[in-house]
Amino acid sequence: MVDEQGALWFPAAHHWDGREEQHPRYIIIHGTAGFTTAQQVGNFFMQSATQASTHYVIGQDGTIVQCVHEHDAAWANGAITGLSGTSGDGHGNGHHDSWWDNGPNPNLLCITIEHVKPHEDNSDHLTDAQKQASFELVSHICQRWDIPARKADAHGGITGHYSVDPVNRARCPGPYPWDELFAYLDGEHMQINLNTPGISAFFSQAQGGAWHCTTPGHNFVIGGAILDFYRSFGGNGLCGLTHLGLPLSNEVGFGDKRVFQRFERGVLCYDPQRTNDRPPGASDTVYLMHIDGGPGQDPRVAALQTQVAQLQQQLAHTTQTPHNPPQ
Ligand SMILES: [Zn+2]
């Protein structure tokens, strides 16, 4: 995982300590309009004469330099310029995105990533190494801070510098593979979090990163590896909420560190040794259980099985002795 510790540290001369109790909700993509390596850009931001900074710089060789801690705010995005509205696709149309209007200084809400682009007009396309590093870094920042892993809107997300400053930075970042980024984030990296629209209506934060379901009748806690599974299961819609529904129990232990947890539309098992169920090639520690038998069985299924057996008996009896024998 690319994390704060994994990057080369070039402390910037300027930043704001903390975020004035704001939580990062946006990732802003930039191009450097000059320079040839991430280390050069890191050195530039270390000079006190440079009245700007950034959290990260990604070189054309994929090197990641960090200049400001994520929990601090960088001097990265300048002032909000232009008319309020919907920003352009990077070519600039004179409008900044209107959600910046009533918020605090955008720098308090943003984590900023510069991409080395030697041409002063930012016309360079990302190299493959740069693109790979950028996608992974964006994905991990989204996970660390529960930032929506999608195109920015009023709730948060990912956009370019032009979203804030369409007058002076219409060409920042210049070409960036947005569609590819969002497809990448949508695919195996699709994860819901408490900021995902629709999720906070059902869940609130509990201790240790767990989620507490706030819907009456479903007041259970989802945590650990089962929560990780729930947050990405299905890979579309609202993931676990769409495909499994709400929890019907807390975790229930059944020996050997195994637990199961019932949901409206399925039972999840945490079984790190795969002692309960080991189909060929299986290695996931969390999986859907069989619900027609075994420890994860829904008690309603057993009741239905009994009912079915009784009906089958009745049916057999009826077939043998017709109520209306031929006269
Ligand atoms: Zn910029």
Side-chain angles (χ1 to χ4, degrees), residues 267 269 276-279 287-298:
V267 181
C269 181
N276 190 62
D277 190 5
R278 193 198 292 271
Y287 52 87
L288 279 161
M289 291 186 92
H290 295 277
I291 57 167
D292 53 352
Q297 183 180 35
D298 188 323

Side-chain angles (χ1 to χ4, degrees), residues 30-31 114 161 169 172:
H30 295 247
E114 289 277 0
H161 196 178
R169 294 292 184 268
C172 188

Side-chain angles (χ1 to χ4, degrees), residues 80-309:
I80 301 168
T81 64
L83 303 169
S84 182
T86 301
S87 72
D89 60 358
H91 304 293
N93 61 4
H95 289 81
H96 63 261
D97 283 305
S98 54
W99 62 74
W100 302 115
D101 288 338
N102 299 315
N105 179 333
N107 288 305
L108 298 174
L109 303 177
C110 296
I111 291 176
T112 301
I113 306 174
E114 289 277 0
H115 295 75
V116 170
K117 293 195 167 194
H119 287 94
E120 288 185 7
D121 62 358
N122 269 339
S123 58
D124 308 73
H125 289 262
L126 300 197
T127 66
D128 284 345
Q130 201 173 20
K131 183 171 77 177
Q132 190 60 35
S134 184
F135 287 7
E136 287 180 16
L137 181 61
V138 167
S139 172
H140 294 153
I141 293 171
C142 287
Q143 289 175 42
R144 279 199 286 277
W145 293 95
D146 272 355
I147 293 173
R150 53 181 159 76
K151 190 177 192 296
D153 58 30
H155 300 280
I158 307 150
T159 186
H161 196 178
Y162 59 82
S163 166
V164 181
D165 184 359
V167 172
N168 305 303
R169 294 292 184 268
R171 300 187 64 83
C172 188
Y176 185 88
W178 294 107
D179 291 345
E180 238 183 295
L181 171 70
F182 295 126
Y184 172 89
L185 296 172
D186 253 358
E188 55 186 344
H189 290 76
M190 172 74 190
Q191 279 199 327
I192 53 171
N193 56 56
L194 291 174
N195 293 327
T196 306
I199 292 297
S200 64
F202 297 96
F203 295 101
S204 65
Q205 189 75 61
Q207 277 191 336
W211 291 6
H212 174 245
C213 184
T214 53
T215 302
H218 298 275
N219 300 131
F220 303 107
V221 170
I222 314 176
I226 288 184
L227 178 60
D228 289 343
F229 184 97
Y230 187 84
R231 289 178 57 193
S232 58
F233 180 57
N236 59 31
L238 294 177
C239 293
L241 180 59
T242 299
H243 300 285
L244 289 164
L246 298 173
L248 294 175
S249 74
N250 285 317
E251 291 183 0
V252 180
F254 63 103
D256 294 340
K257 295 179 186 166
R258 290 172 290 169
V259 298
F260 69 82
Q261 184 164 18
R262 292 201 294 117
F263 293 81
E264 290 173 298
R265 292 186 279 286
V267 181
L268 291 184
C269 181
Y270 170 68
D271 176 9
Q273 307 302 323
R274 298 290 306 210
T275 48
N276 190 62
D277 190 5
R278 193 198 292 271
S283 61
D284 295 349
T285 59
V286 175
Y287 52 87
L288 279 161
M289 291 186 92
H290 295 277
I291 57 167
D292 53 352
Q297 183 180 35
D298 188 323
R300 294 172 300 183
V301 175
L304 283 170
Q305 283 171 335
T306 308
Q307 230 179 345
V308 168

